[in-house]
Amino acid sequence: MPLLGYGEDALTLHALTTGLPELFRQLGDSTDPRDSVRFFRPSFGRRSSRPGAESARSLFGEFDGVIGSTKAVYLVEAKWAGSGELRGRQLKLRPEQQRRHVAFRTYLEGWRRTPSDSWEAFAARIKPVLAERTDGLVPPSAETTLARNLEYVLRRLASSGSDIIDVLLFSRMSAAQAVPERCGDFCIVTHLSEPEEGSGFIRLLD
C-alpha cells in the first residue's frame, strides 16, 4: 500500500527523497546524491515555557531541511502555494526564519575554524559572535538535547563543501504553477510533486 502525504512537510520530504538530482542541477552542484547527507526538519528548539530563561535564549528554530554535498551546505526553507508568506510572486520570510539561518551559519563557520571535542570550549568561543550576529542568542549548555543535536549536525557537515547557501525550496503541484521571483538573498529552487488523482495528496512511498 502506498504512503500518501499532504501539505508542506510532505512536499518537502518528497523533494528530499526523490528530487535531489534535479535540485542539485538547479544549484549547479555536480555531487552524486549518494555522496550527500540530508536532514529532514532538523530542530534546534521550537519554543519554551520560560521565555526569559537562558535555555530559551538558545533556541533558534527548525529548518525544513539541511543538505550537505561535496560543494556546499544548503540551509533550506520550504514553501508551497499555501504558504502564508507568499504574496503573488514575492515571498518574504519572517524575521525568526531569517534569524535561524544566521545562527546556524555562525555555528558552522565557527566549528569549521576550530573543531572541538569539548562543547563547553566551543560554546565559549562562539558565544560573543553568536550574540552579536543574532541579537542575543546564547549557545546551549553541554549535555542538553539541543547541544547534542547541534554538535551532531555540525560534525556530520564538517566534511561537506565549504560554501554555505541559503535556499528557498518551492514545491509545485503542477507544472503551470507560478514560482516566486524573489526571496531576499535566498537561492530559489523548485520541485514538482504531482498529486494523486486530482487530490491534494502526493505519493511518498509505493
Side-chain angles (χ1 to χ4, degrees), residues 111 116-117 119 146-155:
W111 187 268
S116 179
D117 291 329
W119 179 261
L146 177 55
R148 289 194 296 269
N149 287 347
L150 183 53
E151 182 175 358
Y152 176 78
V153 175
L154 294 173
R155 289 187 185 280

Side-chain angles (χ1 to χ4, degrees), residues 100-139:
R100 66 172 157 253
H101 284 255
V102 176
F104 190 82
R105 180 185 294 268
T106 301
Y107 277 119
L108 184 55
E109 288 173 346
W111 187 268
R112 286 176 162 178
R113 280 194 300 271
T114 314
S116 179
D117 291 329
S118 166
W119 179 261
E120 293 95 332
F122 172 71
R125 287 196 304 271
I126 204 69
K127 184 175 182 177
V129 182
L130 184 67
E132 179 182 2
R133 293 184 182 179
T134 63
D135 191 27
L137 271 178
V138 297

Side-chain angles (χ1 to χ4, degrees), residues 22-126:
E22 173 59 17
L23 297 183
F24 279 170
R25 186 194 67 78
Q26 294 178 54
L27 292 164
D29 190 328
S30 61
T31 300
D32 186 326
R34 293 172 295 184
D35 296 328
S36 67
V37 58
R38 292 163 285 176
F39 292 92
F40 173 61
R41 296 195 64 81
S43 179
F44 303 109
R46 300 184 67 181
R47 60 177 60 87
S48 172
S49 59
R50 298 175 59 206
E54 180 164 308
S55 61
R57 294 193 291 118
S58 299
L59 311 181
F60 62 95
E62 186 174 84
F63 287 99
D64 294 304
V66 173
I67 305 169
S69 76
T70 58
K71 176 185 177 182
V73 171
Y74 302 103
L75 308 179
V76 180
E77 294 290 332
K79 302 297 175 186
W80 66 313
S83 298
E85 297 89 347
L86 183 63
R87 298 288 185 271
R89 299 290 298 278
Q90 301 296 316
L91 202 152
K92 185 176 181 180
L93 298 178
R94 301 189 304 275
E96 66 269 22
Q97 294 173 321
Q98 299 177 48
R99 184 179 188 236
R100 66 172 157 253
H101 284 255
V102 176
F104 190 82
R105 180 185 294 268
T106 301
Y107 277 119
L108 184 55
E109 288 173 346
W111 187 268
R112 286 176 162 178
R113 280 194 300 271
T114 314
S116 179
D117 291 329
S118 166
W119 179 261
E120 293 95 332
F122 172 71
R125 287 196 304 271
I126 204 69

Side-chain angles (χ1 to χ4, degrees), residues 154-173:
L154 294 173
R155 289 187 185 280
R156 288 298 304 268
L157 295 174
S159 60
S160 297
S162 59
D163 294 340
I164 305 172
I165 299 175
D166 296 322
V167 172
L168 174 75
L169 167 62
F170 189 79
S171 290
R172 299 174 295 152
M173 300 186 76

